[in-house]
């Protein structure tokens, strides 16, 4: 039988025809290499008593490429789709939903908090800022923000005790 290099040159058009018939438009070089591997395996396993080499090589090459297509399809379905879908379930911890803000404002109003105490509650629980940052944003002293905090905690504690008891 001929050397493999001669077979590769002779059957290159067949490999490209199989790639084209399977509608493979990306990674053609990769699938061409798989076709060459299929041709080499067909060359190694061929038994002249069982039939014509061309038919055997065609089946072997096509089978090798189809197997790789199935494997890559499974991989893409399992991994790439999962990465895309995960984006729908990831919650941004810094996003503020209107419902959370409304709930906090409701507590502030029922607890009769002042405007500054309400600011402290919103900054602390929605934006998770500490007293130093709140003081910088509001352009007030640190002790003023601490007083807002103490007053808000006292009023909210009192409100919770009255509602629970």
């Amino acid at each position: 039988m001929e050397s493999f290099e001669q077979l590769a040159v002779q059957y290159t058009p067949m490999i490209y025809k199989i790639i084209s018939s399977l509608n493979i438009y990306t990674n053609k070089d990769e699938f061409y290499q798989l076709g060459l591997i299929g041709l080499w395996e067909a060359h190694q396993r061929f038994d002249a008593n069982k039939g014509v080499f061309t038919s055997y090589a065609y089946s072997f090459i096509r089978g090798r490429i189809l197997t790789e297509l199935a494997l890559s399809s499974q991989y893409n379905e399992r991994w790439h789709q999962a990465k895309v879908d995960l984006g729908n379930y990831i919650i941004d911890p810094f996003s503020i939903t209107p419902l959370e803000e409304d709930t906090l404002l409701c507590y502030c109003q029922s607890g009769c908090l002042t405007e500054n105490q309400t600011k402290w509650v919103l900054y602390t629980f929605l934006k998770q800022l500490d007293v130093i940052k709140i003081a910088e944003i509001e352009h007030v002293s640190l002790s003023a923000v601490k007083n807002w905090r103490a007053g808000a905690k006292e009023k909210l504690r009192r409100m919770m005790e009255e509602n629970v008891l």
Side-chain angles (χ1 to χ4, degrees):
M1 187 166 233
E2 305 171 24
S3 72
F4 179 72
E5 288 79 22
Q6 293 171 340
L7 279 177
V9 172
Q10 182 182 354
Y11 284 93
T12 293
M14 178 190 284
I15 295 171
Y16 280 116
K17 180 64 178 168
I18 293 169
I19 292 171
S20 175
S21 70
L22 294 173
N23 296 323
I24 298 172
Y25 297 107
T26 58
N27 301 332
K28 282 187 177 182
D29 293 335
E30 180 180 331
F31 285 102
Y32 174 73
Q33 290 299 318
L34 285 168
L36 286 177
I37 291 169
L39 179 64
W40 182 79
E41 289 174 345
H43 175 65
Q44 296 295 316
R45 296 180 182 182
F46 178 66
D47 184 5
N49 297 330
K50 293 187 177 181
V52 181
F53 180 73
T54 303
S55 302
Y56 186 73
Y58 181 87
S59 299
F60 222 93
I61 294 167
R62 190 168 192 276
R64 170 62 73 176
I65 292 174
L66 283 173
T67 301
E68 180 60 29
L69 277 174
L71 291 174
S72 65
S73 176
Q74 284 177 352
Y75 176 81
N76 288 336
E77 286 177 8
R78 289 181 182 163
W79 297 106
H80 294 290
Q81 189 66 30
K83 290 178 185 175
V84 171
D85 287 346
L86 285 177
N88 297 334
Y89 299 107
I90 295 174
I91 298 171
D92 182 11
F94 298 108
S95 68
I96 299 171
T97 59
L99 186 60
E100 291 173 346
E101 188 172 0
D102 290 345
T103 304
L104 285 174
L105 286 172
C106 184
Y107 279 118
C108 292
Q109 289 172 353
S110 11
C112 299
L113 268 59
T114 65
E115 182 181 340
N116 289 334
Q117 291 169 343
T118 302
K119 286 180 186 178
W120 174 80
V121 169
L122 295 177
Y123 280 132
T124 302
F125 295 106
L126 285 181
K127 298 184 180 178
Q128 299 173 351
L129 299 176
D130 60 6
V131 288
I132 297 171
K133 287 288 185 188
I134 296 170
E136 289 174 6
I137 292 171
E138 291 295 319
H139 304 292
V140 294
S141 68
L142 185 60
S143 62
V145 177
K146 287 180 180 180
N147 287 333
W148 300 349
R149 178 181 64 190
K153 282 182 173 183
E154 179 59 34
K155 287 181 181 178
L156 290 173
R157 186 177 300 118
R158 214 172 337 152
M159 180 190 76
M160 295 301 287
E161 288 173 356
E162 289 173 4
N163 287 337
V164 172
L165 299 173

